[in-house]
Amino acid sequence: MRILVTVASRHGATREIGEVVAEVLREAGHEVEALDPDEVRTVETYDAAVLGSSVYVGRLAAALRELVDREAGQLAARPVWLFWSGPVGDPLVPPAPPDDVASVATRTGAHPPRCFAGRLDRQKLGLAERALVAMIDAEQGDFRDMDDVRSWASSIVDQLAGRPPRR
């Protein structure tokens, strides 16, 4: 299958999650194209899509939302998986899904959306981002679990092959 993996990532941590997903799909024999949402002109040429986004101020990234606005009908006509990353710390902060995840999942017909913990490096943040991080008292560090990402990507491979998803 020809699969699009498109990830909106401001500082690269979410993009790295998308790269792991793309790698697992390629290893399973799929043709995978990894693009930023702004680079996607159409999804018509893909058999399936994986959409990913970092979260800022409780919302998915604008670039991913804009892609969905442009291509919702085409996305809904093929299998779609949606993930986001952003919560950091122990326990994860913020614990709630972004405000727009349910809407994006509904519009695209996505399989149940998945959240992955994120990475926070205050030195890479702009002034407004630092203020937001301070306001929610977010813990610095890399909280991503790439084995969990690989497992989720493997479940996509299973679903594409008609096998039940892994738990």
Side-chain angles (χ1 to χ4, degrees):
M1 294 187 92
R2 189 159 192 264
I3 303 172
L4 170 67
V5 175
T6 183
V7 178
S9 180
R10 190 173 288 176
H11 299 289
T14 307
R15 182 173 294 106
E16 291 170 2
I17 291 171
E19 289 168 0
V20 170
V21 171
E23 175 186 313
V24 170
L25 295 170
R26 282 186 191 109
E27 288 171 355
H30 297 289
E31 179 186 342
V32 178
E33 188 165 9
L35 298 170
D36 288 339
D38 293 336
E39 298 173 323
V40 178
R41 298 295 158 237
T42 182
V43 298
E44 285 184 59
T45 61
Y46 301 101
D47 301 307
V50 177
L51 311 176
S53 180
S54 54
V55 173
Y56 291 95
V57 195
R59 298 201 64 190
L60 298 173
L64 184 75
R65 293 191 322 263
E66 290 165 6
L67 171 63
V68 170
D69 287 346
R70 288 191 321 268
E71 296 289 317
Q74 286 294 326
L75 287 164
R78 58 199 29 79
V80 172
W81 288 265
L82 172 65
F83 77 89
W84 76 92
S85 76
V88 294
D90 186 14
L92 292 175
V93 175
D99 298 339
D100 48 3
V101 165
S103 170
V104 167
T106 298
R107 291 180 66 205
T108 61
H111 290 265
R114 182 63 192 272
C115 174
F116 295 107
R119 177 181 72 200
L120 175 61
D121 181 350
R122 284 189 172 87
Q123 293 179 343
K124 293 183 177 181
L125 302 180
L127 186 60
E129 292 170 318
R130 278 189 239 150
L132 178 63
V133 164
M135 193 168 65
I136 64 170
D137 196 27
E139 187 178 340
Q140 178 161 304
D142 190 345
F143 301 92
R144 298 171 301 166
D145 179 346
M146 293 305 192
D147 288 335
D148 188 33
V149 172
R150 282 182 190 86
S151 177
W152 182 71
S154 293
S155 77
I156 293 172
V157 170
D158 289 345
Q159 291 171 70
L160 289 169
R163 297 185 293 263
R166 300 174 194 198
R167 299 274 178 234

